[in-house]
Amino acid sequence: MLKLNNIYASYGNIDVLKGISMEIARNEIVAIIGANGAGKSTMLNTISGILRAKQGSIEFLGKNIDNLPPHTIVEMGISQAPEGRRIFPQLTVMENLEMGAYSRNFKFQISNFKSELEKIFQYFPILKERLKQTGGTLSGGEQQMLAIARALMARPKLLLLDEPSLGLAPMMVEKIFEIIEKINKEGVTVMLVEQNANAALMLANKGYVLETGMFVMHDDAGALLKSPQLRAAYLGEG
Amino acid sequence: MAVAAIMPQKNLLKYIFIPFWFGFLVFPFTGIKSAIFLSLAIISGEAVFYGITRLEATARVKKILKLIFRPHILQLFGKKGGGGLSAGSLKGRNIILASIGFAALLVILPVFLNNYYIDVLTLAGLYAVLALGLNISVGLAGLLDLGYIAFYAIGAYTYALLSTKLGVSFWLALPIGGFFAAGIGFMLGIITLRLRGDYLAIVTLGFIQIVHLVLNNWDGLTGGPNGILGIARPSLASFKFSQPIHFYYLILGIALLTAIVINRLNNSRIGRAWIAMREDEIAAEAMGIDTTKMKCLAFSIGAFWAGIAGVFFAGKFAFVSPESFTFFESVFVLAMVVLGGMGSIPGVIAGATILIILPEILRGFASYRMLIFGAVLVAMMVFRPQGLIGSQRRKIELHPEDEKIYVQEMESLYEVEHR
């Protein structure tokens, strides 16, 4: 579905991604594991088009997307819940969700919008209670839910999640990961970027390990979980 | 209401300290007597501001009373029970009635005023159009534009040149000036795409200086510091606009049109995109908003109204010169937007009206005029940083009936204010 081919990306003179290649098949959950500064968010931003790749190509559903502006990429079906949630704090929850559907407003009717909302509320019932509150008054976990819900409103084929567990209590992390699994079962391909290697790999089909801008390992998630190398580096064992 | 009750105790010291601190600062220049007088004047000004805060609370009490009496009112109209009308539509109807009343007042008002006051009101209308336009880039899209007056100048000079050199009529020049300014605004938008906040402000500051210098030095085209004289006044068939009252109604019409268009924009998809962009540009981009397009659109639509205002300016005074289009004017319009309440249309109009009328009212104080004017601005920003009539969007969005959320919202606002 998505194919990265030898991607290089940099901020000014500092190379962040140094030749990344990967592939995601339809309906998969792929986990990208890496420490701070490994280039995880840079990779997602490059896919979303917010950052331009210096070199290499990105293919989505057989089309080259590495030169397209971010709004076209969202329209094609890739949407992102960015790192640190980045919801709109002064807009209400409802307006945040409306902004999520921004890219498709011309293509669907109000009634469709309502049924879409109902679907979102099945995943995140709490948001229904909070609809009229502004985004900034939500708790951290609720904000993360809102960020994911907002990304879903674009009805993506591929959902990019940037550290959804960041700064959340373990119970909340579990809850969010359950929801991600549900979303995936409904037919959305998920790319999950995480520092929480254990939780991410338990959920994913495949895993990639990113270190200083390069993939050092990739394998089935189960195999990665058993790999002593990974356990030593990311799960604090050995 | 709860918030209004907490405020005085928490603020009491501030309310008393700041005026005297201000008085202390100015006493070397004004002498001790005037300084004390000034401090007292600020304190009385504060009382007015405090009154405005209370007014919000009173308005809520009235709303509750209205809800209680609603069934009876409806029965008067022959309907049974309160089911027919929701509180929302009742509120909407009140707003519409109030606006119609206000518009009628504005139409009738000049009949009772002499030419001097009509001129002041016309100026207020002109600046209201300018402030509404600036409100798009500053209040909605969050792009701090210090060079806004340059578009005003472009509009004014467009009509001045078209009229004196080609004899183009005012009505044709109105859209031409608007679109020409919008085009320049679009170009400025492209140039400043990657800039934000302070950096954008500095580039736009450079822009107004460039425009000012060009107007001042391109003698062949703009007449240099002498400006352009003998611009044709607008006329309709055989009717010529000559009396102040004619211009008053003209600017009233333009201002009304501006307010309606900008209000529609504000509540549209584009308006939402601007607000999202202001809140978080990266997130907005990730939502599929074309930020390039939206920024250029914000600049050019704002510039369009400045251009219109400029054409009106040239038409009214029949004379343009670079002096009218300085950086100070830009800051003045920005002050109107901030004072009135960024992003709020009635707020911005109120801001423009007050900043134009206040110096006139203060003429009695002779040389202390600008000092008091400054003191009012300082007091305003200290005690009501969200502006006279802060943006209504969050209040409209909330259920007016839901006391809990309302109080919570007000308290969170309160916290932001006092951080």
Side-chain angles (χ1 to χ4, degrees):
Chain A
M1 186 178 208
L2 181 82
K3 217 168 163 183
L4 302 188
N5 202 354
N6 200 25
I7 290 289
Y8 281 80
S10 59
Y11 296 112
N13 284 330
I14 304 157
D15 280 331
V16 182
L17 299 181
K18 301 161 188 159
I20 282 187
S21 303
M22 70 169 300
E23 209 171 325
I24 305 180
R26 197 178 286 272
N27 286 344
E28 262 185 337
I29 300 183
V30 171
I32 314 285
I33 312 292
N36 282 333
K40 303 182 304 278
S41 301
T42 307
M43 182 178 142
L44 287 197
N45 284 340
T46 313
I47 297 172
S48 289
I50 293 168
L51 195 75
R52 286 261 163 276
K54 226 162 76 176
Q55 203 185 309
S57 68
I58 306 171
E59 227 174 79
F60 179 62
L61 299 173
K63 277 183 211 128
N64 249 351
I65 60 166
D66 42 280
N67 272 321
L68 296 177
H71 59 100
T72 320
I73 293 175
V74 175
E75 275 164 31
M76 286 179 71
I78 301 181
S79 77
Q80 189 189 154
E83 184 180 10
R85 314 192 258 271
R86 302 197 92 124
I87 53 154
F88 303 113
Q90 307 248 338
L91 299 187
T92 63
V93 170
M94 182 67 179
E95 286 168 331
N96 265 284
L97 292 174
E98 282 170 13
M99 286 319 300
Y102 184 86
S103 62
R104 6 186 332 232
N105 258 12
F106 287 130
K107 291 165 204 149
F108 74 129
Q109 305 291 315
I110 302 257
S111 55
N112 287 351
F113 180 77
K114 288 221 174 103
S115 66
E116 190 86 9
L117 267 183
E118 284 307 318
K119 225 169 91 190
I120 296 281
F121 294 148
Q122 279 171 14
Y123 296 133
F124 307 103
I126 188 81
L127 291 184
K128 195 171 187 176
E129 294 164 31
R130 302 270 188 260
L131 263 190
K132 294 200 162 69
Q133 245 171 286
T134 54
T137 61
L138 299 184
S139 75
E142 287 164 357
Q143 287 191 10
Q144 185 61 57
M145 290 181 182
L146 177 58
I148 298 175
R150 189 181 61 177
L152 279 177
M153 285 304 285
R155 200 186 278 168
K157 299 182 181 99
L158 173 62
L159 179 65
L160 310 177
L161 297 175
D162 200 345
E163 300 214 21
S165 74
L166 192 72
L168 298 183
M171 273 234 321
M172 196 48 111
V173 174
E174 210 170 289
K175 209 166 162 187
I176 291 212
F177 275 48
E178 265 169 37
I179 295 169
I180 295 172
E181 196 174 2
K182 250 200 247 168
I183 292 167
N184 175 251
K185 289 232 167 79
E186 304 258 323
V188 180
T189 313
V190 177
M191 185 161 172
L192 180 62
V193 163
E194 264 298 340
Q195 287 198 50
N196 188 342
N198 201 20
L201 287 174
M202 298 277 264
L203 188 67
N205 308 98
K206 262 195 317 194
Y208 285 78
V209 178
L210 192 63
E211 246 167 52
T212 56
M214 280 177 283
F215 283 135
V216 290
M217 267 193 264
H218 72 98
D219 208 336
D220 283 345
L224 271 184
L225 263 179
K226 285 187 203 119
S227 138
Q229 235 178 316
L230 181 111
R231 295 195 79 84
Y234 294 97
L235 301 172
E237 286 176 19
Chain B
M1 273 172 281
V3 178
I6 313 166
M7 262 169 85
Q9 286 124 25
K10 272 203 167 182
N11 267 343
L12 204 59
L13 246 145
K14 207 158 110 185
Y15 270 83
I16 295 170
F17 173 72
I18 297 237
F20 282 107
W21 165 77
F22 196 81
F24 175 74
L25 282 184
V26 298
F27 103 88
F29 310 102
T30 59
I32 195 89
K33 224 166 96 186
S34 320
I36 292 174
F37 166 73
L38 198 68
S39 305
L40 293 176
I42 296 177
I43 289 181
S44 57
E46 282 166 6
V48 175
F49 289 133
Y50 181 60
I52 293 173
T53 334
R54 294 296 294 187
L55 258 180
E56 275 170 12
T58 342
R60 285 190 58 72
V61 174
K62 272 187 194 157
K63 203 180 286 163
I64 292 164
L65 283 179
K66 214 175 271 166
L67 282 174
I68 295 168
F69 288 117
R70 202 182 64 199
H72 309 286
I73 296 167
L74 286 176
Q75 270 162 14
L76 282 181
F77 289 106
K79 284 183 193 162
K80 278 175 193 164
L85 261 177
S86 72
S89 66
L90 195 74
K91 195 180 157 216
R93 209 172 55 183
N94 286 342
I95 289 172
I96 290 167
L97 277 177
S99 346
I100 291 173
F102 188 63
L105 178 75
L106 283 178
V107 171
I108 300 166
L109 195 64
V111 178
F112 307 106
L113 296 175
N114 65 24
N115 280 350
Y116 167 70
Y117 287 111
I118 291 174
D119 259 340
V120 171
L121 281 180
T122 309
L123 214 57
L126 176 65
Y127 276 92
V129 174
L130 279 173
L132 280 170
L134 183 62
N135 183 40
I136 291 178
S137 47
V138 175
L140 294 180
L143 305 164
L144 183 53
D145 181 1
L146 291 179
Y148 184 68
I149 281 301
F151 303 121
Y152 180 45
I154 287 165
Y157 270 85
T158 304
Y159 176 51
L161 290 172
L162 284 177
S163 163
T164 50
K165 304 230 152 132
L166 300 171
V168 174
S169 87
F170 177 82
W171 307 107
L172 186 61
L174 211 53
I176 292 176
F179 283 115
F180 188 52
I184 305 270
F186 185 79
M187 273 152 60
L188 184 69
I190 288 179
I191 295 167
T192 57
L193 263 184
R194 292 173 160 273
L195 301 173
R196 317 204 60 202
D198 321 357
Y199 308 100
L200 177 66
I202 289 168
V203 172
T204 52
L205 174 65
F207 178 65
I208 176 75
Q209 297 298 359
I210 290 170
V211 170
H212 188 73
L213 281 172
V214 168
L215 294 181
N216 235 333
N217 293 297
W218 194 352
D219 287 352
L221 187 71
T222 66
N226 296 328
I228 298 173
L229 285 158
I231 302 163
R233 288 256 164 88
S235 60
L236 252 178
S238 61
F239 177 74
K240 281 194 164 39
F241 283 71
S242 51
Q243 295 299 314
I245 195 162
H246 300 156
F247 287 100
Y248 172 81
Y249 284 123
L250 180 60
I251 195 66
L252 186 63
I254 293 175
L256 207 64
L257 182 72
T258 315
I260 290 169
V261 170
I262 289 176
N263 185 40
R264 299 282 299 170
L265 263 180
N266 194 357
N267 295 323
S268 74
R269 203 172 121 86
I270 296 173
R272 271 298 157 69
W274 280 332
I275 292 166
M277 210 168 73
R278 179 189 68 199
E279 300 246 313
D280 191 328
E281 198 174 327
I282 301 228
E285 222 173 347
M287 292 302 97
I289 294 167
D290 188 348
T291 49
T292 310
K293 200 170 91 190
M294 285 302 153
K295 270 187 188 173
C296 290
L297 211 59
F299 266 117
S300 50
I301 294 181
F304 177 82
W305 294 108
I308 297 262
V311 173
F312 175 83
F313 174 85
K316 170 160 170 50
F317 294 100
F319 166 67
V320 291
S321 79
E323 265 168 62
S324 320
F325 310 108
T326 56
F327 170 62
F328 176 75
E329 286 287 301
S330 263
V331 175
F332 194 48
V333 177
L334 186 65
M336 289 169 183
V337 174
V338 176
L339 178 88
M342 282 195 270
S344 148
I345 290 172
V348 166
I349 295 174
T353 315
I354 288 170
L355 282 198
I356 291 294
I357 292 179
L358 199 62
E360 302 300 327
I361 293 174
L362 293 176
R363 268 189 201 284
F365 294 92
S367 48
Y368 293 124
R369 187 164 72 112
M370 288 325 268
L371 191 64
I372 297 175
F373 183 67
V376 170
L377 284 186
V378 170
M380 187 67 204
M381 285 301 105
V382 170
F383 296 106
R384 221 179 143 77
Q386 77 272 38
L388 269 179
I389 308 175
S391 173
Q392 287 286 313
R393 53 171 296 105
R394 70 180 79 223
K395 276 182 216 159
I396 295 167
E397 235 78 60
L398 298 167
H399 257 312
E401 297 89 346
D402 198 336
E403 188 73 32
K404 208 179 84 195
I405 294 179
Y406 181 81
V407 169
Q408 194 182 345
E409 277 295 312
M410 289 309 285
E411 271 161 8
S412 68
L413 260 183
Y414 178 73
E415 275 160 24
V416 172
E417 263 180 69
H418 293 265
R419 201 159 50 193

